Amino acid sequence: MTTTGEDHERALTGPWWWVRRRSAVFDGGLALVSALECAAEGIPFARDAGIPASVGIVFGLVAGSVLLVRRKWPIAVVLVAIAITPAQMGFLMGVVGLYTLAACELPRRIIGALSGMSLLGTAVVTFVRVRQDMSRGDLTLGDWFVPFAAVTTALGLTAPPVLLGLYVGARRRLMESLRERADSLERELQLLAERAEERAEWARSEERTRIAREMHDVVAHRVSLMVVHAAALQAVARKDPEKAVRNAALVGDMGRQALTELREMLGVLRAGEGAGGRAASVPLAAVGEAAAAAASRVAEVEGAVEGPCLSELDELIGQSAAAGMVVELSVEGEVRSYAAEVEQTAYRVVQEALTNVHKHAAGAKTRVRLAHRVSEIAMQVENGPPPEPASASAAGLPSGGNGLVGMRERVVALGGVFVSGPTDAGGFRVSAVIPA
């Protein structure tokens, strides 16, 4: 009766307008009892009206059976009950009809008007009947009893069902409102869970990208220098044994440094895997916390290993010079310290640029410029053309094409600007500006 919309369509399992079969059986039982009551009350009504008793019985059966449609047309049931009140019929129908009317989702003015009509009709009929009984001598009470009986009877047959119906209707609507709110909250929680899963997946993707970038920076530079030194060692092994020994020592040092950095990275990855295993047991209801934990693990992994800093640039350039590169470093402005991620990014940009020179322009003269400004730090690595066209591939260094992409990602992630491209002289230039 009060269920509407999609839920009503889904819940409707009974015949016709009934929601459930037991509701139809219950209303059918009430209608049968009401019809029998009205039929019994139709006999004295027919006798008083001077009509055959069979007519009164049939009239009572028809009028009482109207209670069957109380859920579909409660107003019609109440109107029929009011109409047969003068015949002293339909007391059950009137009580049940008023209850159903008050429990329905109808405007309060309609409920009030019909309840008032029923109250007034019951009071008038009771007043007339009691007065007739007193005039015939059936009752010997005072005149005060007539209005008292009329008022109490009208209130007793009208007020309780109306108040009970209003209470049940309000409670039913409250439950439906709470159910709709719970459904809405469930949908919102599901949406939040989906968004949290997306954020967690984004955090994992960012973590994988960052790890790949770190691995590239750690391995590419060291291994590139090792390959350059190995090529030089092969060339001078017989001509200059002392230089060959120095190159072999440099290759060993760089290999050990690369292994140390790789061990540090693998240690961080294993720690991240342990944290990921613990987060995997988080239920779907707390997937938002899992996403936050995944994002925090990214930050933890980034700060777990202390990265290189700008004070190590001299050592970095010295390694390239030892490999045969003609490299020059110039520093402008007042040297100062920066945030760890800024210094690490600046170092990696210079490192990757020098690695690219080793790969693609071996023997080319290179200049590294570092400028400390008020609110930013700028760096530029520019190399000239290689002295011999074949020297670019003499060492046989492969290129994965990820170096410039990684540098750009690092710089842009800190809100900086990255530019790279060939120069007019045939060389290559890498420039980056990072906010300090």
Side-chain angles (χ1 to χ4, degrees), residues 87-99:
Q88 290 186 311
M89 287 184 181
F91 294 104
L92 176 63
M93 184 170 58
V95 171
V96 176
L98 287 174
Y99 163 80

Side-chain angles (χ1 to χ4, degrees), residues 41-53 86-88 129 132 136:
E41 295 168 345
I43 297 176
F45 166 71
R47 185 175 58 251
D48 295 340
I51 58 177
Q88 290 186 311
R129 289 295 181 179
Q132 289 177 352
R136 287 197 304 263

Side-chain angles (χ1 to χ4, degrees), residues 335-357:
V335 179
R336 64 184 188 274
S337 61
Y338 301 91
E341 60 270 15
V342 174
E343 294 207 7
Q344 182 178 358
T345 300
Y347 180 93
R348 294 301 190 192
V349 169
V350 176
Q351 182 188 56
E352 181 60 29
L354 293 177
T355 302
N356 287 339
V357 176

Side-chain angles (χ1 to χ4, degrees), residues 52 59 67 77 94 103 125 128 168 193 205 232 236 286-287 296 332 360 435:
F59 175 75
L67 194 59
V77 174
V125 171
V128 173
V168 172
S205 176
V236 302
V287 72
S296 65
E332 302 176 3
H360 307 292

Side-chain angles (χ1 to χ4, degrees), residues 108-142:
R108 291 297 177 87
R109 62 179 182 273
I110 296 178
I111 298 175
L114 292 177
S115 300
M117 291 172 59
S118 178
L119 177 68
L120 182 60
T122 304
V124 171
V125 171
T126 305
F127 183 88
V128 173
R129 289 295 181 179
V130 173
R131 192 174 184 84
Q132 289 177 352
D133 292 340
M134 292 186 67
S135 64
R136 287 197 304 263
D138 296 339
L139 294 175
T140 58
L141 299 175

Side-chain angles (χ1 to χ4, degrees), residues 383-404:
N383 64 274
E388 298 179 6
S391 64
S393 58
L397 291 171
S399 176
N402 297 317
L404 294 176

Side-chain angles (χ1 to χ4, degrees), residues 158-235:
T158 305
V162 171
L163 294 177
L164 181 61
L166 290 175
Y167 167 75
V168 172
R171 185 175 180 275
R172 185 180 299 152
R173 286 187 289 272
L174 175 62
M175 295 301 296
E176 290 180 357
S177 176
L178 293 177
R179 189 180 300 110
E180 292 177 359
R181 186 177 301 177
D183 293 341
S184 177
L185 289 176
E186 184 178 358
R187 288 191 296 269
E188 291 179 2
L189 287 176
Q190 184 65 25
L191 181 59
L192 289 176
E194 293 175 359
R195 291 180 178 176
E197 289 178 354
E198 292 177 358
R199 289 197 298 269
E201 181 61 30
W202 173 84
R204 288 191 292 268
S205 176
E206 288 293 315
E207 186 175 358
R208 288 193 295 267
T209 302
R210 190 203 62 78
I211 291 172
R213 189 165 55 239
E214 285 290 334
M215 295 291 290
H216 177 272
D217 291 341
V218 168
V219 176
H221 181 73
R222 303 291 184 191
V223 175
S224 296
L225 291 180
M226 290 170 63
V227 173
V228 171
H229 280 292
L233 177 62
Q234 184 180 7

Side-chain angles (χ1 to χ4, degrees), residues 306-324:
E306 183 179 355
C309 56
L310 291 176
S311 61
E312 301 176 15
L313 275 182
D314 292 333
E315 180 183 357
L316 177 66
I317 292 175
Q319 294 173 353
S320 295

